Amino acid sequence: MGTICILLGLIILLGSLFGGFQAAQAYNTTIAPTLTNAFGNVNPYVLCIGVCGCIGLLICLNLVMHGITLNRVNKLIRMHKRHDR
């Protein structure tokens, strides 16, 4: 179960980066011509990918840490069961 959490976290990180890229493309074609200099001289690609990447990184770190914890707890449970025999 821990390995699944770790892999899911990495998949979510990559998905959020891809989603940020898609959002930046949509922003460039629809909203960018009407909102000139709303964020100063920031490239909309950098802004969208940065925000989505940051959110994805937080979720990824949460799932990775839960996965590591699950792996270690399962290892301790197995060791404890071996010593009880």
Side-chain angles (χ1 to χ4, degrees), residues 3 10 12-13 17 19 27 35 44 56 63 67 72-73 77 80 84:
T3 307
L10 295 174
I12 287 175
L13 175 63
L17 289 174
Y27 172 78
L35 295 176
L63 286 170
R72 289 188 182 182
V73 167
I77 289 171
H80 183 67
D84 282 344

Side-chain angles (χ1 to χ4, degrees), residues 4 13 20 22 29 53 63:
I4 294 171
L13 175 63
Q22 294 297 323
T29 58
L63 286 170

Side-chain angles (χ1 to χ4, degrees), residues 39-56:
F39 296 105
N41 288 331
V42 177
N43 190 354
Y45 281 98
V46 173
L47 183 69
C48 289
I49 292 173
V51 168
C52 291
C54 185
I55 293 170

Side-chain angles (χ1 to χ4, degrees), residues 35-81:
L35 295 176
T36 57
N37 291 332
F39 296 105
N41 288 331
V42 177
N43 190 354
Y45 281 98
V46 173
L47 183 69
C48 289
I49 292 173
V51 168
C52 291
C54 185
I55 293 170
L57 182 65
L58 290 174
I59 296 170
C60 173
L61 287 175
N62 184 19
L63 286 170
V64 167
M65 295 310 287
H66 278 291
I68 290 171
T69 303
L70 283 171
N71 284 341
R72 289 188 182 182
V73 167
N74 286 335
K75 183 179 177 181
L76 288 173
I77 289 171
R78 283 194 309 264
M79 284 177 32
H80 183 67
K81 285 183 181 179

